[in-house]
């Protein structure tokens, strides 16, 4: 049986992407050119306060935040620079071939001027699945005997760290909602982070590595993730 995700996205995170501030990032001429090229628009952050803020002060606050996000008109692509963590991330929600190609180009184009500084790249897959009345059986079959209140859980998370041949993969499986006395479908989310260390690579090797990873994003790593999701979700208590 193949399990289809009800919601999914991919986030690529590149670390040690160095600017002195979010403002410097968005005012960089190279960044501006990419923003224009990919038809991105700045997301204006909401600042909620108990008292009204004069518009000039509000605009100043918004422009001084350490995180800045740009997105496409259809909100399918997001590019975020995080000055607190010194990283840049690329998010995509529609997983089809043309959008994969655009994502690959965006990653390569945005990281190019900072290539020598980069320390790592993470490929993150996030998918949600509706199992209806079925319950995942990842834990001991008798867990409710040992923990009678476990059936009352509203959520739980299991983290698995795997050392693969070319990266460290971290899977997180958690129940989002539903089950037992809620009378709602069980919704599970599976996240995977494939972490690739670039810290010891010379600049040319970093370029080759990132290009290779982007070329294999939907050819290798997404199929690996989907297979693992299917194997995990198959461990449910559905009556045959």
């Amino acid at each position: 049986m193949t399990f289809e995700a009800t919601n999914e996205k991919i986030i690529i995170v590149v670390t040690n992407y160095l600017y002195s501030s979010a403002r410097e990032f968005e005012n960089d001429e190279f960044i501006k050119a990419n923003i224009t090229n990919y038809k991105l628009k700045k997301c204006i952050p909401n600042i909620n306060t108990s008292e009204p803020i004069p518009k000039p002060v509000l605009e100043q606050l918004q422009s001084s935040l350490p995180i800045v996000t740009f997105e496409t008109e259809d909100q399918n692509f997001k590019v975020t620079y995080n000055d607190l963590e010194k990283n840049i991330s690329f998010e995509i929600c529609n997983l089809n071939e043309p959008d994969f190609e655009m994502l690959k180009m965006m990653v390569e184009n945005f990281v190019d001027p900072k290539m020598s500084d980069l320390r790592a790249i993470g490929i993150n897959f996030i998918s949600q699945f509706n199992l209806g009345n079925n319950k995942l059986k990842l834990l001991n079959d008798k867990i409710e005997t040992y923990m009678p209140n476990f059936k009352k859980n509203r959520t739980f998370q299991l983290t698995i760290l795997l050392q693969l041949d070319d990266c460290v993969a971290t899977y997180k499986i958690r129940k989002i909602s539903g089950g037992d006395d809620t009378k709602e479908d069980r919704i599970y989310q599976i996240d995977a982070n494939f972490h690739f260390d670039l810290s010891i690579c010379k600049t040319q090797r970093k370029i080759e590595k990132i290009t290779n990873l982007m070329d294999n994003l939907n050819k290798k790593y997404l199929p690996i993730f989907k297979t693992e999701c299917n194997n995990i979700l198959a461990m449910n208590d559905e009556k045959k």
Side-chain angles (χ1 to χ4, degrees):
M1 180 178 179
T2 300
F3 297 87
E4 298 295 334
T6 58
N7 187 25
E8 55 189 349
K9 62 183 175 181
I10 297 175
I11 303 175
I12 309 295
V13 181
V14 180
T15 69
N16 210 48
Y17 189 81
L18 303 179
Y19 280 93
S20 63
S21 66
R23 180 173 293 183
E24 184 191 26
F25 166 78
E26 62 180 312
N27 288 331
D28 184 288
E29 292 300 323
F30 186 88
I31 298 300
K32 284 187 190 179
N34 275 319
I35 289 170
T36 300
N37 183 43
Y38 291 108
K39 299 178 181 178
L40 302 171
K41 63 177 182 178
K42 186 176 180 179
C43 299
I44 305 301
N46 292 322
I47 299 179
N48 297 318
T49 61
S50 57
E51 298 293 334
I53 301 176
K55 186 176 180 181
V57 176
L58 179 60
E59 291 176 347
Q60 183 177 7
L61 285 172
Q62 291 170 330
S63 65
S64 63
L65 293 176
I67 299 173
V68 59
T69 298
F70 295 87
E71 65 182 5
T72 52
E73 190 68 34
D74 61 3
Q75 300 183 325
N76 184 40
F77 293 91
K78 289 184 180 180
V79 178
T80 299
Y81 172 69
N82 186 327
D83 192 58
L84 295 174
E85 298 184 1
K86 297 297 183 184
N87 67 36
I88 186 170
S89 62
F90 307 84
E91 180 179 323
I92 181 176
C93 298
N94 295 330
L95 310 189
N96 55 53
E97 189 63 33
D99 289 337
F100 274 122
E101 290 305 314
M102 183 171 170
L103 176 64
K104 295 171 188 177
M105 290 189 294
M106 288 177 70
V107 172
E108 293 176 11
N109 288 338
F110 270 91
V111 304
D112 184 65
K114 299 292 184 178
M115 190 67 69
S116 61
D117 298 322
L118 306 183
R119 297 186 63 83
I121 180 170
I123 299 176
N124 299 273
F125 301 104
I126 304 171
S127 292
Q128 291 184 358
F129 301 87
N130 186 334
L131 291 193
N133 291 324
N134 298 333
K135 180 190 299 186
L136 275 188
K137 305 292 284 185
L138 300 175
L139 304 174
N140 191 307
D141 282 346
K142 297 181 179 179
I143 189 169
E144 291 179 9
T145 300
Y146 296 100
M147 294 179 62
N149 283 328
F150 186 78
K151 64 183 179 181
K152 300 177 182 178
N153 81 81
R154 291 295 174 263
T155 183
F156 69 85
Q157 177 171 294
L158 176 66
T159 301
I160 303 171
L161 186 68
L162 305 174
Q163 178 64 65
L164 303 184
D165 291 339
D166 58 350
C167 68
V168 174
T170 303
Y171 282 84
K172 294 181 179 179
I173 306 108
R174 63 189 174 112
K175 188 178 78 173
I176 300 297
S177 62
D180 295 314
D181 59 346
T182 66
K183 297 181 181 180
E184 298 175 352
D185 289 350
R186 288 186 175 86
I187 308 298
Y188 293 94
Q189 179 169 305
I190 301 178
D191 303 355
N193 169 263
F194 294 81
H195 179 85
F196 301 86
D197 186 5
L198 302 175
S199 60
I200 63 172
C201 299
K202 294 183 184 267
T203 301
Q204 183 57 41
R205 177 57 183 151
K206 290 179 182 180
I207 295 172
E208 294 169 355
K209 184 73 172 177
I210 290 176
T211 299
N212 179 264
L213 289 175
M214 291 302 98
D215 286 344
N216 283 289
L217 179 63
N218 57 322
K219 298 175 183 176
K220 177 180 178 180
Y221 298 105
L222 180 59
I224 289 175
F225 172 69
K226 285 183 175 291
T227 297
E228 290 292 358
C229 284
N230 213 64
N231 292 338
I232 291 167
L233 295 169
M235 291 186 284
N236 67 73
D237 63 355
E238 180 183 15
K239 300 298 185 293
K240 303 298 182 183

